[in-house]
Amino acid sequence: MKISRIQVILASIALLGSAALAELLQPRQLMARTAASPSLESIVPRQFGTWTLVPEISPVKPTEESAEPDLLSARNYSQEVARGYTDGHGNIVMLMVAYGPVQNYRLKAHRPEICYTANGFRVFDKTDTAVSYKDGSAPIKTMRLIAERESRFEPLTYWMRVGNDISNTVVEHQLSRLKYGLRGMIPDGALIRVSTIGLPREASFKLQDQFIKDLLAAVPSKELKFFIGAS
């Protein structure tokens, strides 16, 4: 089929128009710049309720979870806090909080199931649930899964914040980024993960629920948005 000069010109105009529109709609404003960046070391309490810090315990960090670390990992998260806590009854919960100022199609938070799998764990029984943390407040949407490798049995509960949204699934994550992108904004993001070792499944999740409730109760109200977003 012979292509006329007019068709070539129209196609060129369409391509240039698409490129101009894409450039126009490109998100440019970082949500992280609209407020002072949080200091995780200061907003994540070291002691709260019956929980006290166990210095010798340090959970695996997202940048270390993969056997072949992503070259962009260091840029995904600008701050990380990894700690172990005990409730005074011999039970220990590991907490991982990671913050990333940029969540776009190139840089986005790592899901624990992907990282654990890459590091040789078998991940199974992934379910979505909700954790109540305060009377009268809507529960937090969370994900639960089991990670197992050799004798290590590690139930996990986590959630991910993108901008002001809790976006735990791939689709939710993409929709949140699209929503902010249409406003010309690039959202920031956070990963909050708790896990336990040495307890059965149900006992682990019950302990994790209590830990999450106690943790958020201890966070100053002005900092709570960092963890749970806002409607």
Side-chain angles (χ1 to χ4, degrees):
M1 181 179 67
K2 187 175 181 180
I3 300 177
S4 67
R5 178 176 297 179
I6 293 178
Q7 288 175 312
V8 172
I9 293 173
L10 291 176
S12 299
I13 292 173
L15 289 173
L16 290 173
S18 297
L21 183 61
E23 177 65 20
L24 181 65
L25 294 178
Q26 179 72 23
R28 301 181 186 281
Q29 181 181 0
L30 286 175
M31 285 188 69
R33 292 177 181 171
T34 62
S37 297
S39 170
L40 294 191
E41 287 291 339
S42 62
I43 69 173
V44 179
R46 303 177 73 86
Q47 182 172 335
F48 53 94
T50 62
W51 300 92
T52 57
L53 194 66
V54 184
E56 60 269 24
I57 293 180
S58 180
V60 177
K61 297 183 179 181
T63 52
E64 299 170 345
E65 286 173 349
S66 173
E68 298 179 2
D70 187 339
L71 293 177
L72 296 176
S73 291
R75 296 169 58 193
N76 288 341
Y77 297 115
S78 62
Q79 296 185 64
E80 297 174 348
V81 167
R83 297 175 184 166
Y85 294 84
T86 178
D87 63 356
H89 300 287
N91 298 312
I92 292 177
V93 169
M94 294 177 290
L95 171 67
M96 178 69 223
V97 181
Y99 173 72
V102 175
Q103 297 291 297
N104 58 24
Y105 74 99
R106 289 179 179 173
L107 299 176
K108 48 187 178 293
H110 291 179
R111 283 177 171 74
E113 57 266 37
I114 297 175
C115 296
Y116 272 74
T117 299
N119 203 34
F121 283 84
R122 183 171 72 94
V123 174
F124 58 98
D125 286 354
K126 180 181 175 182
T127 58
D128 60 316
T129 184
V131 175
S132 297
Y133 71 96
K134 183 180 179 182
D135 293 340
S137 298
I140 305 171
K141 296 188 300 180
T142 62
M143 303 298 293
R144 283 180 169 157
L145 57 88
I146 306 295
E148 188 175 34
R149 186 180 65 182
E150 299 173 350
S151 61
R152 178 166 173 155
F153 180 81
E154 186 174 354
L156 296 90
T157 300
Y158 77 88
W159 70 93
M160 305 176 77
R161 176 183 61 76
V162 177
N164 289 324
D165 306 329
I166 301 299
S167 304
N168 295 327
T169 68
V170 173
V171 172
E172 289 175 341
H173 207 111
Q174 291 174 339
L175 289 175
S176 291
R177 297 205 312 271
L178 176 61
K179 179 182 75 173
Y180 287 107
L182 292 175
R183 300 175 186 173
M185 303 181 73
I186 301 174
D188 65 349
L191 164 68
I192 298 92
R193 185 193 78 207
V194 297
S195 63
T196 47
I197 298 175
L199 289 175
R201 173 195 174 107
E202 294 306 319
S204 291
F205 289 138
K206 183 178 180 179
L207 184 66
Q208 291 170 19
D209 286 355
Q210 186 61 52
F211 178 87
I212 292 169
K213 183 176 181 179
D214 293 343
L215 170 66
L216 295 180
V219 172
S221 57
K222 65 179 181 179
E223 306 290 0
L224 197 56
K225 182 179 177 180
F226 171 85
F227 293 90
I228 64 174
S231 57

